[in-house]
Amino acid sequence: MDLPKTMVHALHDRAAQHEHRPALWTRRGRAYVPTSWFEYAQKVKAFALGLRSLGYGAGQPLGIISFNREEWHVADLAAMAMGGVPVGLYTTSALEQLEYILGHCEATVLVVENEKHLATGLALKARLPKLRHIIALDVPEGPLPEGVWRYSEVLARGTGVDDKPYWDSVNALQPEALCTLIYTSGTTGHPKGVMLSHHNIAWTSRQLIMAVEFGKQDGVILSYLPLSHIAEQVISLHSPLMLGVQVYFADSVEAMPGNLKDVRPTFFFGVPRVWEKFRAKAEEGLRSQPPLKRRIVSWARGVASEYHSRAQRHERIPVTLDAQYKLAQRLVFEPLKARIGMERVDFFATAAAPIAREVLEFFASIDIFIHEVWGMTEVSGPGTVNTQEATHLGTVGRAMIGVEVRIAEDGEILVKGGNVCMGYYKNPEATAELLEGGWLHSGDVGQLDGEGYLHITGRKKEIIVTSGGKKTAPGNIEELLKSLPAVGNAVVVGERRNFLVALLALDVEKVRALAKEKGWPEDVGTLARDARLRQLLQEKLDRDINPKLSRFETIKRFAVLEQELSVDAGDLTPTLKVRRKAVEQKHAALIESLYAELGAAHTG
């Protein structure tokens, strides 16, 4: 597959090749309505020329605050086409966070989705002198404040005018130039602006396509995770430009499970939290089946587990097992996948945060084999992948073709390749630290096994050092704790302490399932205070979790939080990673009480 000069060039190549085939699908009422490749390219050109008429040009950042939709793609590519720099912003970000990012990159134009975000945009415009124009996608008819334009008006300004400036700008784009800024979600401190070049984006998209084969000519993707995150951009914006894959936009993250049934994609990517929620619903559904059906499903799950276990070890599949697997597919798995809209999916994937092995094993047992991928914004998304041909459950796969991975003496994962970013925007010190010695220093700690598969063991900066000098990666312990009944998230604490404690946050769906089974309260806050739950968790902790840990890693005490961790409460990043310091600060008194109760009774 040839590497396009930029993704704008890829768009026009695709439009010339596919012309009137559908490219993007948008919900209009009850039905999805297509935009063809030709229309897609024309809208990008018109919007780019409309931006130019407002004084937008090379080197200028353009912010986008919106849920996934056609206009997001158009604005992103139009900014690139004019030599500008798109900057995706999370719709859940606080005003102060948005002010920092837009002020830091000195954005001149901001695209907003609706009235709510327009109000935010106007507040930002009043604070940021360089922010000159706001372009609103969905706002009521009527006069708009000065400097605010409707999306349709900007398109109209760029329609039917001389398009030579557009093509001059596109032809002047260079692969090594800055293409986009992705601001890290910032689990600690201010987010950094990761600079990705046109080459970074094009090269990574091509390598990912070659590795996971998610894009057939008739491929279909459902876009629902935040487009301000590099993973969703590579999967649902850039890679489809190279393959002609059709992209459907979900109504919302919450509506995604229902949208799946309408779209029936051929590729599905979910962050671990998405898979955990799917699992909770699936287990609840399986428990509600009549006894005979449960026995059939149990048999089928055993067959699938054995089949996939042998397949990933490249062992010969016995004829009887193969026959049983095909029967299980027909009787159980195909109807199950059809019910949730996943019967056409060729490749299931997960990344962005650790996922428990037991979650992967559960899905493998219902014939949904999830391939774990590792990467980060600084490597344009993916770095290592588990492929159809080479996959090991519990690892994050092997380095993509063209990517080198090695482990430093202190265990840090180092990376080289065409996916490695240009550095951090306006931050030469952090860039020098990131790219020291010609290798990208990921900040993740891991190991490479004898077959080249990467095992992630934690984050370098999150390693807990107890008062006794023992070191542990809390992420691994937290994944074990998330297997406890009703627990959705866990935060392990113990830096410079003499033992470890944990904060356990319940999950609404898991609580509902446990409550039905036990006859307990279904309200999260009520159940969090219930002594029966505490006793059950303690028993499971003592029996199933602590025996798997070194003595100093065992959880000596825990507290159950009365509310779920959430993005809105500031507990999670927009990509659903725990903001460890924020959670610890919020619950500092509770943490101190855990240590006060046990005091000097334990040593680390």
Side-chain angles (χ1 to χ4, degrees):
M1 179 183 291
D2 293 336
L3 190 66
K5 186 179 178 184
T6 72
M7 299 318 296
V8 181
H9 290 82
L11 168 68
H12 289 291
D13 289 346
R14 195 61 48 223
Q17 185 178 354
H18 289 340
E19 201 169 358
H20 299 299
R21 290 188 199 171
L24 308 174
W25 293 81
T26 301
R27 173 90 74 181
R28 306 280 186 221
R30 293 186 177 181
Y32 273 98
V33 177
T35 295
S36 72
W37 285 101
F38 175 78
E39 292 168 327
Y40 187 5
Q42 290 298 108
K43 286 181 179 181
V44 167
K45 182 175 73 170
F47 193 72
L49 289 168
L51 287 173
R52 180 176 181 271
S53 75
L54 298 177
Y56 182 81
Q60 295 184 30
L62 173 143
I64 308 173
I65 309 177
S66 169
F67 184 65
N68 307 16
R69 53 191 291 165
E70 176 185 295
E71 295 88 345
W72 210 111
H73 284 211
V74 169
D76 189 271
L77 292 166
M80 287 183 197
M82 298 314 295
V85 184
V87 183
L89 301 157
Y90 290 104
T91 58
T92 53
S93 293
L95 182 67
E96 291 71 22
Q97 293 170 318
L98 297 172
E99 182 183 1
Y100 173 79
I101 292 171
L102 292 172
H104 183 261
C105 70
E106 300 181 80
T108 57
V109 177
L110 177 63
V111 176
V112 299
E113 183 171 18
N114 50 34
E115 282 187 278
K116 174 189 171 186
H117 298 308
L118 175 56
T120 300
L122 289 169
L124 291 166
K125 189 168 180 285
R127 299 183 186 189
L128 300 170
K130 295 201 174 180
L131 183 57
R132 299 195 307 272
H133 299 288
I134 298 174
I135 300 170
L137 305 182
D138 293 331
V139 289
E141 291 299 319
L144 293 173
E146 185 181 353
V148 178
W149 305 83
R150 287 186 171 82
Y151 174 80
S152 57
E153 293 173 331
V154 180
L155 275 181
R157 289 173 71 97
T159 302
V161 298
D162 180 11
D163 63 2
K164 184 177 182 299
Y166 174 81
W167 293 114
D168 287 346
S169 179
V170 170
N171 291 332
L173 296 176
Q174 295 302 315
E176 297 76 23
L178 178 59
C179 168
T180 189
L181 278 174
I182 308 283
Y183 277 81
T184 58
S185 48
T187 54
T188 58
H190 281 308
K192 297 187 187 80
V194 179
M195 299 187 290
L196 299 176
S197 68
H198 290 288
H199 177 75
N200 286 150
I201 294 293
W203 188 90
T204 304
S205 298
R206 182 187 66 177
Q207 300 309 101
L208 183 65
I209 289 164
M210 291 167 61
V212 305
E213 302 172 3
F214 77 80
K216 301 174 179 175
Q217 288 295 331
D218 59 349
V220 171
I221 288 172
L222 178 64
S223 177
Y224 72 99
L225 291 169
L227 271 166
S228 31
H229 193 271
I230 186 59
E232 188 68 15
Q233 285 194 26
V234 169
I235 288 168
S236 72
L237 198 170
H238 302 304
S239 295
L241 296 175
M242 300 180 73
L243 284 162
V245 170
Q246 300 175 51
V247 177
Y248 286 71
F249 297 103
D251 297 322
S252 65
V253 174
E254 295 73 24
M256 177 271 290
N259 295 146
L260 276 174
K261 298 170 190 174
D262 297 327
V263 174
R264 302 192 178 273
T266 57
F267 174 92
F268 186 79
F269 171 81
V271 295
R273 194 76 187 107
V274 167
W275 289 114
E276 288 161 7
K277 285 186 173 291
F278 269 133
R279 180 194 178 190
K281 281 190 174 295
E283 287 180 326
E284 189 175 350
L286 293 173
R287 278 192 295 269
S288 68
Q289 298 297 320
L292 178 59
K293 185 70 178 287
R294 283 205 303 271
R295 285 198 293 273
I296 293 172
V297 170
S298 179
W299 163 81
R301 288 180 64 186
V303 168
S305 293
E306 177 66 15
Y307 181 92
H308 288 299
S309 179
R310 285 176 174 268
Q312 67 175 312
R313 294 195 303 264
H314 299 288
E315 294 180 4
R316 186 184 65 82
I317 306 295
V319 174
T320 51
L321 178 60
D322 189 56
Q324 288 178 324
Y325 175 62
K326 286 174 180 170
L327 179 61
Q329 282 184 306
R330 193 164 67 251
L331 291 178
V332 177
F333 303 133
E334 288 171 5
L336 185 152
K337 290 178 187 176
R339 277 202 302 278
I340 61 176
M342 288 190 175
E343 76 275 18
R344 294 203 301 162
V345 176
D346 296 318
F347 196 92
F348 299 94
T350 190
I355 187 167
R357 186 184 176 103
E358 68 164 30
V359 174
L360 300 174
E361 289 174 344
F362 169 81
F363 281 103
S365 80
I366 58 171
D367 202 37
I368 293 178
F369 196 92
I370 302 170
H371 300 78
E372 199 170 355
V373 176
W374 171 83
M376 56 195 301
T377 307
E378 288 84 346
V379 296
S380 312
T384 67
V385 293
N386 276 297
T387 66
Q388 293 280 29
E389 298 77 22
T391 188
H392 277 189
L393 214 62
T395 79
V396 292
R398 291 166 163 165
M400 285 197 308
I401 295 171
V403 175
E404 293 180 70
V405 172
R406 73 176 177 89
I407 309 299
E409 287 185 11
D410 62 358
E412 185 174 11
I413 299 164
L414 309 182
V415 182
K416 267 187 184 179
N419 55 341
V420 171
C421 71
M422 302 165 70
Y424 294 122
Y425 192 57
K426 295 183 182 177
N427 198 336
E429 296 84 5
T431 296
E433 186 179 338
L434 178 74
L435 303 176
E436 183 185 355
W439 289 83
L440 180 135
H441 293 245
S442 71
D444 281 338
V445 177
Q447 301 168 343
L448 285 168
D449 65 24
E451 296 180 75
Y453 288 90
L454 181 63
H455 302 249
I456 305 293
T457 56
R459 285 288 294 168
K460 190 174 177 180
K461 290 182 179 177
E462 289 182 356
I463 297 296
I464 290 174
V465 183
T466 68
S467 59
K470 300 289 180 64
K471 296 180 181 179
T472 186
N476 296 334
I477 303 172
E478 288 160 358
E479 286 306 311
L480 290 173
L481 292 172
K482 284 161 70 174
S483 68
L484 290 169
V487 173
N489 261 308
V491 178
V492 171
V493 179
E495 180 67 21
R496 298 183 185 179
R497 307 274 195 166
N498 58 355
F499 57 87
L500 304 186
V501 299
L503 302 178
L504 305 179
L506 304 184
D507 175 89
V508 170
E509 287 164 4
K510 288 185 176 182
V511 164
R512 191 181 302 127
L514 179 67
K516 286 180 180 177
E517 179 189 336
K518 301 283 190 182
W520 293 351
E522 291 190 25
D523 175 69
V524 170
T526 305
L527 190 57
R529 298 186 296 272
D530 197 305
R532 293 169 296 181
L533 173 66
R534 182 173 187 80
Q535 183 179 346
L536 176 64
L537 292 173
Q538 188 68 60
E539 290 171 357
K540 297 274 188 181
L541 179 68
D542 293 340
R543 188 186 70 200
D544 301 332
I545 308 297
N546 280 340
K548 296 177 181 177
L549 301 169
S550 301
R551 180 173 174 272
F552 78 94
E553 292 179 312
T554 56
I555 301 301
K556 302 295 193 294
R557 196 160 184 81
F558 64 86
V560 181
L561 303 182
E562 295 188 15
Q563 292 183 323
E564 283 190 294
L565 299 188
S566 71
V567 175
D568 291 342
D571 308 315
L572 305 176
T573 70
T575 53
L576 306 182
K577 295 176 187 174
V578 174
R579 294 186 190 273
R580 187 176 301 279
K581 287 190 177 178
V583 172
E584 288 185 25
Q585 288 170 3
K586 181 188 288 188
H587 300 287
L590 182 58
I591 292 168
E592 289 304 323
S593 73
L594 293 176
Y595 282 102
E597 288 184 43
L598 282 180
H602 299 276
T603 57

